[in-house]
mmCIF file of all heavy atoms in Angstrom:
data_model
loop_
_atom_site.group_PDB
_atom_site.id
_atom_site.type_symbol
_atom_site.label_atom_id
_atom_site.label_comp_id
_atom_site.label_asym_id
_atom_site.label_seq_id
_atom_site.Cartn_x
_atom_site.Cartn_y
_atom_site.Cartn_z
ATOM 1 N N MET V 204 16.556 134.460 -69.106
ATOM 2 C CA MET V 204 15.712 134.227 -68.011
ATOM 3 C C MET V 204 15.925 135.418 -66.960
ATOM 4 O O MET V 204 14.879 135.803 -66.304
ATOM 5 C CB MET V 204 16.173 132.907 -67.262
ATOM 6 C CG MET V 204 15.814 131.604 -68.018
ATOM 7 S SD MET V 204 13.999 131.495 -68.389
ATOM 8 C CE MET V 204 13.963 131.761 -70.090
ATOM 9 N N GLU V 205 17.108 135.970 -66.849
ATOM 10 C CA GLU V 205 17.265 137.117 -65.985
ATOM 11 C C GLU V 205 16.441 138.237 -66.487
ATOM 12 O O GLU V 205 15.853 138.996 -65.768
ATOM 13 C CB GLU V 205 18.716 137.485 -65.955
ATOM 14 C CG GLU V 205 19.626 136.474 -65.124
ATOM 15 C CD GLU V 205 21.091 136.750 -65.162
ATOM 16 O OE1 GLU V 205 21.507 137.879 -65.791
ATOM 17 O OE2 GLU V 205 21.846 136.040 -64.606
ATOM 18 N N LYS V 206 16.443 138.495 -67.845
ATOM 19 C CA LYS V 206 15.587 139.508 -68.432
ATOM 20 C C LYS V 206 14.111 139.302 -68.113
ATOM 21 O O LYS V 206 13.373 140.256 -67.834
ATOM 22 C CB LYS V 206 15.895 139.707 -69.934
ATOM 23 C CG LYS V 206 17.175 140.237 -70.353
ATOM 24 C CD LYS V 206 17.340 140.320 -71.831
ATOM 25 C CE LYS V 206 18.685 140.906 -72.190
ATOM 26 N NZ LYS V 206 18.812 140.985 -73.720
ATOM 27 N N LEU V 207 13.692 138.013 -68.220
ATOM 28 C CA LEU V 207 12.261 137.733 -67.933
ATOM 29 C C LEU V 207 11.955 138.082 -66.502
ATOM 30 O O LEU V 207 10.816 138.643 -66.214
ATOM 31 C CB LEU V 207 12.007 136.223 -68.136
ATOM 32 C CG LEU V 207 11.649 135.788 -69.569
ATOM 33 C CD1 LEU V 207 11.442 134.273 -69.613
ATOM 34 C CD2 LEU V 207 10.442 136.573 -70.181
ATOM 35 N N SER V 208 12.845 137.783 -65.574
ATOM 36 C CA SER V 208 12.680 138.038 -64.141
ATOM 37 C C SER V 208 12.588 139.567 -63.967
ATOM 38 O O SER V 208 11.578 140.017 -63.233
ATOM 39 C CB SER V 208 13.748 137.426 -63.315
ATOM 40 O OG SER V 208 13.540 137.707 -62.000
ATOM 41 N N ALA V 209 13.429 140.296 -64.487
ATOM 42 C CA ALA V 209 13.383 141.746 -64.457
ATOM 43 C C ALA V 209 12.040 142.386 -65.058
ATOM 44 O O ALA V 209 11.527 143.226 -64.443
ATOM 45 C CB ALA V 209 14.612 142.386 -65.093
ATOM 46 N N LEU V 210 11.679 141.741 -66.215
ATOM 47 C CA LEU V 210 10.574 142.249 -66.857
ATOM 48 C C LEU V 210 9.311 141.981 -65.946
ATOM 49 O O LEU V 210 8.339 142.757 -65.927
ATOM 50 C CB LEU V 210 10.418 141.554 -68.172
ATOM 51 C CG LEU V 210 9.124 141.944 -69.071
ATOM 52 C CD1 LEU V 210 9.150 143.401 -69.312
ATOM 53 C CD2 LEU V 210 9.131 141.217 -70.382
ATOM 54 N N GLY V 211 9.330 140.725 -65.307
ATOM 55 C CA GLY V 211 8.184 140.397 -64.453
ATOM 56 C C GLY V 211 8.083 141.349 -63.269
ATOM 57 O O GLY V 211 6.913 141.818 -62.947
ATOM 58 N N LYS V 212 9.168 141.741 -62.659
ATOM 59 C CA LYS V 212 9.079 142.743 -61.577
ATOM 60 C C LYS V 212 8.647 144.174 -62.138
ATOM 61 O O LYS V 212 7.809 144.814 -61.384
ATOM 62 C CB LYS V 212 10.440 142.819 -60.937
ATOM 63 C CG LYS V 212 10.912 141.602 -60.184
ATOM 64 C CD LYS V 212 12.392 141.710 -59.732
ATOM 65 C CE LYS V 212 12.814 140.483 -59.115
ATOM 66 N NZ LYS V 212 14.213 140.479 -58.776
ATOM 67 N N LEU V 213 9.109 144.574 -63.212
ATOM 68 C CA LEU V 213 8.714 145.776 -63.872
ATOM 69 C C LEU V 213 7.273 145.843 -64.156
ATOM 70 O O LEU V 213 6.490 146.836 -63.809
ATOM 71 C CB LEU V 213 9.610 146.094 -65.077
ATOM 72 C CG LEU V 213 9.223 147.403 -65.849
ATOM 73 C CD1 LEU V 213 9.435 148.640 -64.952
ATOM 74 C CD2 LEU V 213 10.022 147.521 -67.174
ATOM 75 N N THR V 214 6.743 144.663 -64.734
ATOM 76 C CA THR V 214 5.396 144.583 -65.133
ATOM 77 C C THR V 214 4.499 144.693 -63.928
ATOM 78 O O THR V 214 3.378 145.245 -63.848
ATOM 79 C CB THR V 214 5.142 143.343 -65.893
ATOM 80 O OG1 THR V 214 5.974 143.239 -67.026
ATOM 81 C CG2 THR V 214 3.666 143.196 -66.367
ATOM 82 N N GLY V 215 4.877 143.950 -62.827
ATOM 83 C CA GLY V 215 4.134 144.001 -61.628
ATOM 84 C C GLY V 215 3.987 145.378 -61.067
ATOM 85 O O GLY V 215 2.881 145.788 -60.612
ATOM 86 N N SER V 216 5.109 146.178 -61.101
ATOM 87 C CA SER V 216 5.072 147.493 -60.593
ATOM 88 C C SER V 216 4.209 148.380 -61.465
ATOM 89 O O SER V 216 3.302 149.151 -60.901
ATOM 90 C CB SER V 216 6.525 148.060 -60.578
ATOM 91 O OG SER V 216 6.546 149.454 -60.211
ATOM 92 N N ILE V 217 4.289 148.239 -62.713
ATOM 93 C CA ILE V 217 3.562 149.090 -63.687
ATOM 94 C C ILE V 217 2.052 148.727 -63.571
ATOM 95 O O ILE V 217 1.205 149.643 -63.527
ATOM 96 C CB ILE V 217 3.986 148.925 -65.166
ATOM 97 C CG1 ILE V 217 5.327 149.496 -65.361
ATOM 98 C CG2 ILE V 217 3.034 149.466 -66.107
ATOM 99 C CD1 ILE V 217 5.967 149.233 -66.634
ATOM 100 N N SER V 218 1.708 147.440 -63.393
ATOM 101 C CA SER V 218 0.394 147.075 -63.263
ATOM 102 C C SER V 218 -0.269 147.612 -61.997
ATOM 103 O O SER V 218 -1.448 148.046 -62.043
ATOM 104 C CB SER V 218 0.277 145.472 -63.152
ATOM 105 O OG SER V 218 0.777 144.851 -64.387
ATOM 106 N N HIS V 219 0.483 147.683 -60.984
ATOM 107 C CA HIS V 219 -0.013 148.350 -59.762
ATOM 108 C C HIS V 219 -0.343 149.776 -59.886
ATOM 109 O O HIS V 219 -1.361 150.294 -59.519
ATOM 110 C CB HIS V 219 1.010 148.062 -58.587
ATOM 111 C CG HIS V 219 0.599 148.738 -57.255
ATOM 112 N ND1 HIS V 219 -0.417 148.116 -56.485
ATOM 113 C CD2 HIS V 219 1.027 149.844 -56.704
ATOM 114 C CE1 HIS V 219 -0.524 148.880 -55.406
ATOM 115 N NE2 HIS V 219 0.318 149.940 -55.434
ATOM 116 N N GLU V 220 0.597 150.511 -60.620
ATOM 117 C CA GLU V 220 0.414 151.870 -60.853
ATOM 118 C C GLU V 220 -0.741 152.175 -61.666
ATOM 119 O O GLU V 220 -1.501 153.117 -61.567
ATOM 120 C CB GLU V 220 1.631 152.517 -61.444
ATOM 121 C CG GLU V 220 2.942 152.464 -60.487
ATOM 122 C CD GLU V 220 2.619 153.196 -59.221
ATOM 123 O OE1 GLU V 220 2.009 154.328 -59.286
ATOM 124 O OE2 GLU V 220 3.142 152.847 -58.117
ATOM 125 N N PHE V 221 -0.951 151.334 -62.760
ATOM 126 C CA PHE V 221 -2.109 151.501 -63.647
ATOM 127 C C PHE V 221 -3.481 151.134 -62.893
ATOM 128 O O PHE V 221 -4.442 151.818 -63.307
ATOM 129 C CB PHE V 221 -1.968 150.641 -64.895
ATOM 130 C CG PHE V 221 -1.032 151.302 -65.910
ATOM 131 C CD1 PHE V 221 -0.172 152.205 -65.600
ATOM 132 C CD2 PHE V 221 -1.058 150.770 -67.227
ATOM 133 C CE1 PHE V 221 0.755 152.804 -66.535
ATOM 134 C CE2 PHE V 221 -0.269 151.358 -68.234
ATOM 135 C CZ PHE V 221 0.633 152.309 -67.793
ATOM 136 N N ASN V 222 -3.433 150.152 -62.119
ATOM 137 C CA ASN V 222 -4.603 149.609 -61.554
ATOM 138 C C ASN V 222 -5.316 150.613 -60.589
ATOM 139 O O ASN V 222 -6.523 150.754 -60.527
ATOM 140 C CB ASN V 222 -4.339 148.338 -60.725
ATOM 141 C CG ASN V 222 -5.627 147.490 -60.566
ATOM 142 O OD1 ASN V 222 -6.374 147.199 -61.500
ATOM 143 N ND2 ASN V 222 -5.851 147.127 -59.323
ATOM 144 N N ASN V 223 -4.476 151.428 -59.891
ATOM 145 C CA ASN V 223 -5.083 152.379 -58.934
ATOM 146 C C ASN V 223 -5.877 153.439 -59.579
ATOM 147 O O ASN V 223 -7.026 153.706 -59.196
ATOM 148 C CB ASN V 223 -3.911 153.020 -58.109
ATOM 149 C CG ASN V 223 -3.395 152.000 -57.096
ATOM 150 O OD1 ASN V 223 -3.983 151.065 -56.623
ATOM 151 N ND2 ASN V 223 -2.109 152.334 -56.676
ATOM 152 N N PRO V 224 -5.396 154.139 -60.622
ATOM 153 C CA PRO V 224 -6.217 155.147 -61.330
ATOM 154 C C PRO V 224 -7.405 154.498 -61.969
ATOM 155 O O PRO V 224 -8.525 155.100 -62.036
ATOM 156 C CB PRO V 224 -5.288 155.779 -62.332
ATOM 157 C CG PRO V 224 -4.151 154.884 -62.503
ATOM 158 C CD PRO V 224 -4.058 154.223 -61.176
ATOM 159 N N LEU V 225 -7.255 153.260 -62.527
ATOM 160 C CA LEU V 225 -8.466 152.637 -63.076
ATOM 161 C C LEU V 225 -9.586 152.362 -62.111
ATOM 162 O O LEU V 225 -10.771 152.577 -62.457
ATOM 163 C CB LEU V 225 -8.063 151.261 -63.681
ATOM 164 C CG LEU V 225 -7.502 151.111 -65.172
ATOM 165 C CD1 LEU V 225 -7.172 149.776 -65.514
ATOM 166 C CD2 LEU V 225 -8.565 151.677 -66.076
ATOM 167 N N GLN V 226 -9.183 151.963 -60.855
ATOM 168 C CA GLN V 226 -10.224 151.746 -59.833
ATOM 169 C C GLN V 226 -10.942 153.100 -59.486
ATOM 170 O O GLN V 226 -12.147 153.150 -59.261
ATOM 171 C CB GLN V 226 -9.578 151.107 -58.618
ATOM 172 C CG GLN V 226 -9.115 149.688 -58.787
ATOM 173 C CD GLN V 226 -10.189 148.804 -59.364
ATOM 174 O OE1 GLN V 226 -11.309 148.776 -58.882
ATOM 175 N NE2 GLN V 226 -9.840 148.064 -60.414
ATOM 176 N N GLY V 227 -10.093 154.120 -59.553
ATOM 177 C CA GLY V 227 -10.658 155.451 -59.181
ATOM 178 C C GLY V 227 -11.628 155.906 -60.344
ATOM 179 O O GLY V 227 -12.715 156.393 -60.088
ATOM 180 N N ILE V 228 -11.259 155.618 -61.618
ATOM 181 C CA ILE V 228 -12.229 155.918 -62.683
ATOM 182 C C ILE V 228 -13.520 155.083 -62.549
ATOM 183 O O ILE V 228 -14.623 155.624 -62.780
ATOM 184 C CB ILE V 228 -11.546 155.669 -64.077
ATOM 185 C CG1 ILE V 228 -10.365 156.532 -64.294
ATOM 186 C CG2 ILE V 228 -12.538 155.683 -65.219
ATOM 187 C CD1 ILE V 228 -9.562 156.210 -65.548
ATOM 188 N N LYS V 229 -13.346 153.797 -62.193
ATOM 189 C CA LYS V 229 -14.553 153.000 -62.045
ATOM 190 C C LYS V 229 -15.473 153.466 -60.895
ATOM 191 O O LYS V 229 -16.630 153.500 -61.028
ATOM 192 C CB LYS V 229 -14.132 151.507 -61.726
ATOM 193 C CG LYS V 229 -15.266 150.573 -61.749
ATOM 194 C CD LYS V 229 -14.849 149.110 -61.653
ATOM 195 C CE LYS V 229 -16.059 148.164 -61.748
ATOM 196 N NZ LYS V 229 -15.625 146.746 -61.752
ATOM 197 N N GLY V 230 -14.845 154.040 -59.838
ATOM 198 C CA GLY V 230 -15.582 154.540 -58.770
ATOM 199 C C GLY V 230 -16.364 155.779 -59.230
ATOM 200 O O GLY V 230 -17.527 155.970 -58.818
ATOM 201 N N ILE V 231 -15.784 156.666 -60.044
ATOM 202 C CA ILE V 231 -16.430 157.833 -60.526
ATOM 203 C C ILE V 231 -17.585 157.426 -61.401
ATOM 204 O O ILE V 231 -18.722 157.978 -61.370
ATOM 205 C CB ILE V 231 -15.457 158.739 -61.285
ATOM 206 C CG1 ILE V 231 -14.397 159.301 -60.381
ATOM 207 C CG2 ILE V 231 -16.181 159.804 -62.035
ATOM 208 C CD1 ILE V 231 -13.312 160.022 -61.032
ATOM 209 N N LEU V 232 -17.392 156.471 -62.278
ATOM 210 C CA LEU V 232 -18.433 155.960 -63.166
ATOM 211 C C LEU V 232 -19.648 155.423 -62.409
ATOM 212 O O LEU V 232 -20.826 155.654 -62.756
ATOM 213 C CB LEU V 232 -17.954 154.891 -64.159
ATOM 214 C CG LEU V 232 -16.927 155.348 -65.203
ATOM 215 C CD1 LEU V 232 -16.316 154.217 -65.963
ATOM 216 C CD2 LEU V 232 -17.518 156.347 -66.142
ATOM 217 N N GLU V 233 -19.389 154.683 -61.333
ATOM 218 C CA GLU V 233 -20.506 154.167 -60.467
ATOM 219 C C GLU V 233 -21.259 155.258 -59.907
ATOM 220 O O GLU V 233 -22.475 155.212 -59.736
ATOM 221 C CB GLU V 233 -19.882 153.183 -59.515
ATOM 222 C CG GLU V 233 -19.426 151.783 -60.146
ATOM 223 C CD GLU V 233 -18.734 150.969 -59.146
ATOM 224 O OE1 GLU V 233 -18.466 151.392 -58.001
ATOM 225 O OE2 GLU V 233 -18.414 149.799 -59.485
ATOM 226 N N ALA V 234 -20.478 156.223 -59.367
ATOM 227 C CA ALA V 234 -21.161 157.416 -58.678
ATOM 228 C C ALA V 234 -22.018 158.126 -59.720
ATOM 229 O O ALA V 234 -23.161 158.530 -59.342
ATOM 230 C CB ALA V 234 -20.055 158.369 -58.134
ATOM 231 N N LEU V 235 -21.560 158.320 -60.950
ATOM 232 C CA LEU V 235 -22.324 158.962 -61.965
ATOM 233 C C LEU V 235 -23.658 158.192 -62.298
ATOM 234 O O LEU V 235 -24.700 158.754 -62.486
ATOM 235 C CB LEU V 235 -21.570 159.115 -63.249
ATOM 236 C CG LEU V 235 -20.481 160.289 -63.261
ATOM 237 C CD1 LEU V 235 -19.496 160.189 -64.435
ATOM 238 C CD2 LEU V 235 -21.118 161.613 -63.144
#
């Protein structure tokens, strides 16, 4: 359970980092 909790926090952090550039890519595609 402790590992799951740590994994949850790590996944949340990684998701945030991945989501930002994805939104940037989507903005570029809409502009194109």
Side-chain angles (χ1 to χ4, degrees):
M204 290 302 111
E205 287 174 6
K206 286 181 179 179
L207 274 182
S208 178
L210 182 59
K212 293 173 183 175
L213 177 62
T214 304
S216 175
I217 292 173
S218 297
H219 178 72
E220 294 299 323
F221 278 19
N222 199 52
N223 286 339
L225 269 182
Q226 292 307 312
I228 292 169
K229 188 170 183 180
I231 293 170
L232 293 172
E233 288 174 350
L235 285 171

